[in-house]
């Protein structure tokens, strides 16, 4: 009998961390697919296991970590009808406050997908119709169904505290899958994304500050600050640069306390109650009152190339000295 461990989400809630830990430090228990998101339940006709799981063994548990399952609850509900309830299939679900999760998912998509296509349309408002359909997803019913149908074969983890005591989290996972120990090693897991930043050098070049350092951008060059996906291009026209910069102003940088509360009560009230019941604690208590995108990282190689010969402190000293000349 094949055994399966399915993780249907949530997106941006630590599922990649768990998958990586299982695939590396606990590989003795698992059949690890070539890619994280297998979507095994949606493969029709059923694919051959060997085509997705190299060197698979029926003595190990097959991993299917596909957060996209929970993004389409009705389709996932239909797929679950054919899933055995005899203990051969188990679930692990990482839950996160849904307002925070929606905004984190949005920021991830802007940085990882939207901003990469400079020839396309980068307009991507958080409250656009398409975006609201993607991020304001009601998952309560399908997760309650998993809890009811699979009982002790479903484990619900709280994203907000599952990293604080990895020993306890590992113990709960080990109990779920019936092994003595599961190893989880602490690694940096970001709770939220950043918003990419465009800077244009214009006709004469421009100086700018980023992360408390002073940089100089050459004339007619365009810089996208976006972590490992940062990009520097020379000889960019004013028209092209301003188009990209203007479109990037549609990106949502912050959700005020009023907006956060409106989303929580107007969109996710049922979800928050359901998640809290599944966890046995109020998940909304972990949510910040204001949600704000982080500053995007500038890679070292670009930082070294653009770093100004004068430090920010020196520039401020010059400004103070120049100010005395006006008196």
């Amino acid at each position: 009998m094949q055994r399966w461990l399915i993780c249907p989400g949530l997106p941006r809630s630590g599922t990649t961390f768990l998958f990586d830990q299982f695939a590396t430090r606990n590989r003795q228990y698992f059949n690890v697919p070539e890619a994280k998101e297998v979507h095994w339940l949606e493969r029709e006709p059923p694919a051959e296991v060997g085509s997705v799981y190299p060197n698979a063994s029926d003595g190990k548990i097959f991993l299917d970590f596909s957060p996209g399952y929970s993004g389409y609850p009705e389709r996932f509900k239909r797929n679950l009808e054919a899933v055995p309830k005899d203990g051969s299939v188990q679930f692990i679900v990482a839950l996160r406050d849904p307002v925070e999760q929606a905004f984190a998912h949005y920021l991830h998509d802007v940085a990882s997908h939207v901003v990469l296509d400079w020839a396309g349309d980068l307009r991507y408002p958080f409250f656009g119709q398409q975006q609201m359909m993607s991020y304001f997803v009601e998952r309560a019913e399908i997760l309650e169904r998993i809890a009811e149908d699979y009982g002790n074969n479903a484990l619900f983890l709280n994203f907000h505290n599952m990293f604080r005591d990895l020993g306890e989290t590992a113990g709960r996972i080990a109990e779920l899958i019936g092994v003595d120990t599961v190893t989880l090693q602490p690694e940096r897991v970001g709770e939220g994304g950043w918003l990419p930043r465009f800077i244009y050098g214009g006709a004469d070049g421009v100086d700018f500050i980023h992360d408390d350092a002073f940089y100089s951008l050459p004339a007619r060059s365009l810089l996208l600050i976006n972590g490992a996906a940062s990009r520097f291009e020379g000889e960019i026209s004013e028209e092209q640069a301003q188009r990209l910069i203007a479109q990037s102003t549609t990106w949502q940088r912050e959700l005020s306390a009023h907006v956060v509360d409106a989303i929580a009560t107007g969109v996710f009230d049922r979800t928050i109650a359901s998640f809290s019941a599944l966890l046995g604690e109020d998940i909304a208590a972990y949510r910040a009152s204001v949600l704000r995108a982080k500053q995007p990282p500038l890679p070292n190689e670009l930082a070294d190339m653009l770093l100004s010969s004068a430090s920010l402190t020196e520039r401020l000293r010059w400004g103070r000295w120049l100010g005395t000349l006006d008196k």
Side-chain angles (χ1 to χ4, degrees), residues 29 44 58 60 73 83 106-107 137 151 190 197 207 225 231 249 251 278 326:
Y29 305 131
E44 295 180 358
D58 283 346
K60 295 183 178 182
V83 176
Y106 165 80
L107 293 174
V137 179
R197 178 187 181 190
D207 294 335
I225 305 178
R231 180 174 169 185
T249 63
W251 302 340
L278 290 170
D326 294 332

Side-chain angles (χ1 to χ4, degrees), residues 100-123:
E100 186 177 294
Q101 183 272 330
F103 191 51
H105 195 182
Y106 165 80
L107 293 174
H108 167 79
D109 284 350
V110 171
S112 300
H113 306 292
V114 176
V115 74
L116 303 184
D117 182 14
W118 287 15
D121 188 348
L122 303 190
R123 288 174 294 185

Side-chain angles (χ1 to χ4, degrees), residues 67-80:
Y69 280 148
S70 63
Y72 301 92
E74 290 303 315
R75 186 169 72 193
F76 187 45
K77 186 192 304 183
R78 291 193 299 271
N79 291 331
L80 281 180

Side-chain angles (χ1 to χ4, degrees), residues 20-327:
D20 289 345
Q21 295 283 315
F22 293 167
T24 55
R25 296 182 173 87
N26 302 275
R27 201 177 183 97
Q28 68 272 25
Y29 305 131
F30 300 110
N31 289 313
V32 179
E34 294 181 330
K36 171 192 164 192
E37 300 199 29
V38 174
H39 289 268
W40 187 259
L41 301 181
E42 297 175 352
R43 292 174 179 258
E44 295 180 358
E48 292 293 332
V49 165
S51 66
V52 183
Y53 295 86
N55 305 313
S57 166
D58 283 346
K60 295 183 178 182
I61 302 169
F62 289 84
L63 292 179
D64 181 2
F65 271 59
S66 303
Y69 280 148
S70 63
Y72 301 92
E74 290 303 315
R75 186 169 72 193
F76 187 45
K77 186 192 304 183
R78 291 193 299 271
N79 291 331
L80 281 180
E81 293 176 359
V83 176
K85 300 176 178 61
D86 57 2
S88 61
V89 177
Q90 297 177 302
F91 291 85
I92 185 168
V93 186
L95 299 179
R96 184 176 185 175
D97 172 77
V99 184
E100 186 177 294
Q101 183 272 330
F103 191 51
H105 195 182
Y106 165 80
L107 293 174
H108 167 79
D109 284 350
V110 171
S112 300
H113 306 292
V114 176
V115 74
L116 303 184
D117 182 14
W118 287 15
D121 188 348
L122 303 190
R123 288 174 294 185
Y124 202 73
F126 183 59
F127 292 102
Q129 181 177 359
Q130 172 193 342
Q131 289 74 27
M132 292 177 70
M133 290 177 62
S134 297
Y135 306 117
F136 293 0
V137 179
E138 174 56 78
R139 297 177 169 92
E141 182 181 351
I142 187 60
L143 297 183
E144 290 169 356
R145 169 86 173 270
I146 289 174
E148 180 179 350
D149 289 354
Y150 293 89
N152 292 333
N153 286 306
L155 174 63
F156 294 89
L157 298 173
N158 186 339
F159 165 83
H160 301 279
N161 61 24
M162 71 184 190
F163 304 105
R164 295 177 188 172
D165 188 346
L166 285 177
E168 179 183 349
T169 301
R172 295 180 66 193
I173 296 171
E175 182 179 2
L176 173 73
I177 63 175
V179 299
D180 291 334
T181 58
V182 165
T183 302
L184 300 179
Q185 293 294 329
E187 292 180 4
R188 184 176 179 274
V189 178
E191 294 191 358
W194 62 73
L195 202 63
R197 178 187 181 190
F198 280 113
I199 303 172
Y200 184 54
D204 303 313
V206 67
D207 294 335
F208 67 96
I209 297 172
H210 190 78
D211 282 341
D212 297 327
F214 211 90
Y215 299 95
S216 295
L217 190 64
R220 293 182 58 79
S221 59
L222 182 63
L223 174 67
L224 169 65
I225 305 178
N226 190 29
S230 295
R231 180 174 169 185
F232 173 86
E233 295 288 346
E235 294 304 315
I236 298 294
S237 70
E238 178 87 15
E239 179 182 7
Q240 181 182 3
Q242 293 306 326
R243 177 183 66 83
L244 295 172
I245 292 171
Q247 290 177 353
S248 73
T249 63
T250 65
W251 302 340
Q252 191 78 30
R253 184 173 301 277
E254 178 180 306
L255 299 179
S256 68
H258 173 72
V259 172
V260 167
D261 184 63
I263 297 173
T265 57
V267 179
F268 287 126
D269 54 338
R270 162 131 163 62
T271 303
I272 291 170
S274 175
F275 286 9
S276 299
L278 290 170
L279 293 172
E281 58 178 323
D282 182 11
I283 197 166
Y286 294 92
R287 183 202 320 132
S289 58
V290 176
L291 300 180
R292 186 177 293 113
K294 294 179 172 61
Q295 179 99 305
L298 180 63
N300 291 334
E301 58 271 20
L302 283 177
D304 293 342
M305 180 179 75
L306 300 173
L307 189 65
S308 174
S309 57
S311 68
L312 177 59
T313 301
E314 290 171 327
R315 293 272 182 162
L316 293 175
R317 286 174 181 166
W318 293 348
R320 183 177 181 183
W321 176 73
L322 288 172
T324 65
L325 300 181
D326 294 332
K327 297 179 179 178

